[in-house]
Amino acid sequence: MELTATGALLAAHDVIRQPLGEILPRLSEVLEPLIPHRAAVELSTHCAHSPFKRSGGAELPFTAAELTPLLAAGVPGEPWQGPAWVGGAEREVVAVRSDATPRGSVLVLVREEGAEPAGTAELGLAQALWDLVTSHFDRFASEAVPDALARSRTAADTRARVTAELTTAHAAALSGLLGVLRSRALDDSAARATATDLAVSSLIELRAESQRDRSVAEEPALEAFARLSDVLRPMLRHSPVRLELGPPESVRTLPADVAHGTRAIVRALLLIVLEQEAVSRVHVGWTLTEHELRATVRDDGPGLLDSCPLGAGSVTDRLEVLGGRLELDAVPGWGTTLTATVPLATPDAPAAAMSPLTGLGEREVEVLTHLALGHRNRQIAQELHISESTVKFHVANILNKLGVGSRGEAAALFHKAA
């Protein structure tokens, strides 16, 4: 099937006029007659709110990690087709890379096995449409209204924290594996068996972590510390460093996010401490006061640790989220004590996160954006491809939701929020 120039322009217009969440499904529908496919997935690195999206193929376990190699290896402007690992298996795909944004984006159409290769004209149209869509997304990212921008930043911050936490968990598992492999007390057979058991246990722990945390709002302090102990012991099981544990002397419960976050912090601090030379003993303890949880990691090393390695990754990120602080006490020749103090109460959300535009719908925000630029109803209707009566309807709703009496007041609120 071929599209005329007029048909291609109409198709492009139809795609980008959709609400943001409907653009990929509509693009998939437009490309289906030209490049038959069972699913469409995208990785748009400029979009912090939801960089990975999918349309169709609900039964296939797509992940953003699978698309990353296609984004990195693809050549912008030159669609590629062939077998690739997506949806948990090797499948026939068409990958379209765009450099319309600095970090690029990739659209992947998943085809049936043995499908006929797409023609040059079809690939060219797919490339043009994806470049247009990517540019369209980039405009929304660069000109985001305050409420959408706040959501995007929150999503990006959460993603960064989760990534840091998973990185620490993986580092802890690898540290335990290295301890096994380096141990001179185990022969090859015992080392392999022990390493396998440790790897399996770590994998089960990682998979179960999210499920447990969703189902538990609070944890008894002793149980929370016991979970920490279960994570720390394998890290030092075959290490010459002796681990001493000091559980809290309290039967109180902790908020789940405090317990979970503190475990991640302690694990990260222990990894830092173990990088020092001449450490033979490490003590990890928790102390509960009325308002705080204090987690200490104390070693008998050279006492020369400074704050530099503590300022990156999950330690400061996690403490910032929990409203906590970190103290370092290093005494040359005697060792180092690291104390992470975490308040038990949830930190107040910043007032700046609340926007007067929060209650507006997506189309209402678009209309208000034009209002703030001084556009009249006819121009807004032309820009958004809707009728003037629809614009009037949206304007009335905007004034009502914002509690203002004129377009000028609404525009003033928009600029104040920006």
Side-chain angles (χ1 to χ4, degrees):
M1 175 180 176
E2 293 185 2
L3 280 182
T4 64
T6 300
L9 287 174
L10 290 174
H13 170 259
D14 188 44
V15 170
I16 64 173
R17 69 188 291 269
Q18 302 296 322
L20 289 180
E22 298 299 321
I23 286 181
L24 180 61
R26 185 63 188 126
L27 177 62
S28 177
E29 291 176 3
V30 168
L31 291 176
E32 169 63 26
L34 305 170
I35 307 176
H37 55 276
R38 61 189 297 195
V41 287
E42 69 166 279
L43 185 62
S44 303
T45 56
H46 57 278
C47 179
H49 181 56
S50 53
F52 172 71
K53 302 181 184 71
R54 60 184 292 164
S55 176
E59 75 283 1
L60 302 179
F62 295 118
T63 66
E66 295 173 330
L67 270 60
T68 301
L70 294 173
L71 174 63
V75 178
E78 298 181 13
W80 174 86
Q81 52 186 330
W85 188 273
V86 293
E90 190 173 80
R91 308 179 192 278
E92 292 291 327
V93 304
V94 172
V96 186
R97 166 95 187 265
S98 175
D99 62 354
T101 59
R103 296 175 60 193
S105 65
V106 65
L107 168 71
V108 177
L109 304 176
V110 182
R111 312 192 68 189
E112 296 291 350
E113 185 176 354
E116 290 293 325
T120 302
E122 288 79 8
L123 293 177
L125 181 59
Q127 181 70 63
L129 285 173
W130 184 238
D131 284 338
L132 180 63
V133 167
T134 300
S135 299
H136 183 61
F137 284 158
D138 188 51
R139 180 178 69 84
F140 275 96
S142 60
E143 301 175 9
V145 296
D147 187 48
L149 187 60
R151 289 198 304 270
S152 183
R153 286 174 175 169
T154 299
D157 179 59
T158 300
R159 188 172 293 109
R161 295 197 304 270
V162 171
T163 300
E165 179 182 326
L166 289 175
T167 299
T168 302
H170 294 157
L174 290 174
S175 178
L177 287 172
L178 284 174
V180 172
L181 297 175
R182 290 172 175 171
S183 175
R184 297 179 179 179
L186 300 173
D187 58 30
D188 289 348
S189 178
R192 281 196 300 272
T194 304
T196 300
D197 289 343
L198 181 58
V200 170
S201 299
S202 298
L203 184 59
I204 292 174
E205 174 69 19
L206 287 172
R207 288 177 174 174
E209 191 73 33
S210 60
Q211 182 63 36
R212 282 202 304 263
D213 289 338
R214 282 195 297 267
S215 62
V216 180
E218 290 187 336
E219 292 184 52
L222 288 174
E223 291 184 15
F225 189 83
R227 287 182 61 188
L228 172 64
S229 303
D230 291 341
V231 172
L232 299 185
R233 287 194 182 98
M235 295 171 58
L236 298 173
R237 184 175 297 159
H238 301 285
S239 168
V241 179
R242 185 171 76 256
L243 176 64
E244 299 176 354
L245 298 170
E249 297 179 356
S250 174
V251 295
R252 293 177 56 187
T253 59
L254 303 174
D257 58 338
V258 170
H260 182 77
T262 305
R263 282 193 294 267
I265 291 166
V266 170
R267 187 166 52 191
L269 293 177
L270 181 59
L271 288 172
I272 293 172
V273 163
L274 293 177
E275 292 178 358
Q276 303 177 101
E277 296 181 359
V279 174
S280 62
R281 180 176 57 86
V282 176
H283 180 275
V284 174
W286 280 11
T287 302
L288 268 171
T289 68
E290 183 178 357
H291 302 293
E292 295 177 331
L293 169 60
R294 295 174 186 163
T296 58
V297 179
R298 185 173 66 250
D299 68 63
D300 63 350
L304 301 176
L305 190 66
D306 58 35
S307 59
C308 291
L310 308 177
S314 61
V315 177
T316 53
D317 290 343
R318 177 67 70 174
L319 278 170
E320 182 178 351
V321 171
L322 295 174
R325 63 186 185 276
L326 182 67
E327 300 174 0
L328 181 149
D329 183 15
V331 180
W334 291 90
T336 303
T337 300
L338 298 168
T339 304
T341 303
V342 180
L344 299 181
T346 304
D348 294 333
M354 297 300 295
S355 165
L357 311 183
T358 300
L360 300 183
E362 185 175 315
R363 180 62 85 180
E364 290 168 344
V365 170
E366 292 178 348
V367 172
L368 179 56
T369 302
H370 286 282
L371 282 182
L373 295 174
H375 296 169
R376 309 308 301 170
N377 288 353
R378 177 174 297 181
Q379 184 177 357
I380 296 174
Q382 292 172 345
E383 291 286 342
L384 298 180
H385 308 290
I386 56 179
S387 67
E388 284 191 58
S389 61
T390 302
V391 174
K392 292 178 182 178
F393 174 78
H394 285 311
V395 170
N397 281 343
I398 291 169
L399 299 184
N400 182 55
K401 289 182 178 181
L402 295 182
V404 296
S406 69
R407 298 161 68 100
E409 291 180 76
L413 270 181
F414 177 89
H415 290 299
K416 183 178 180 181

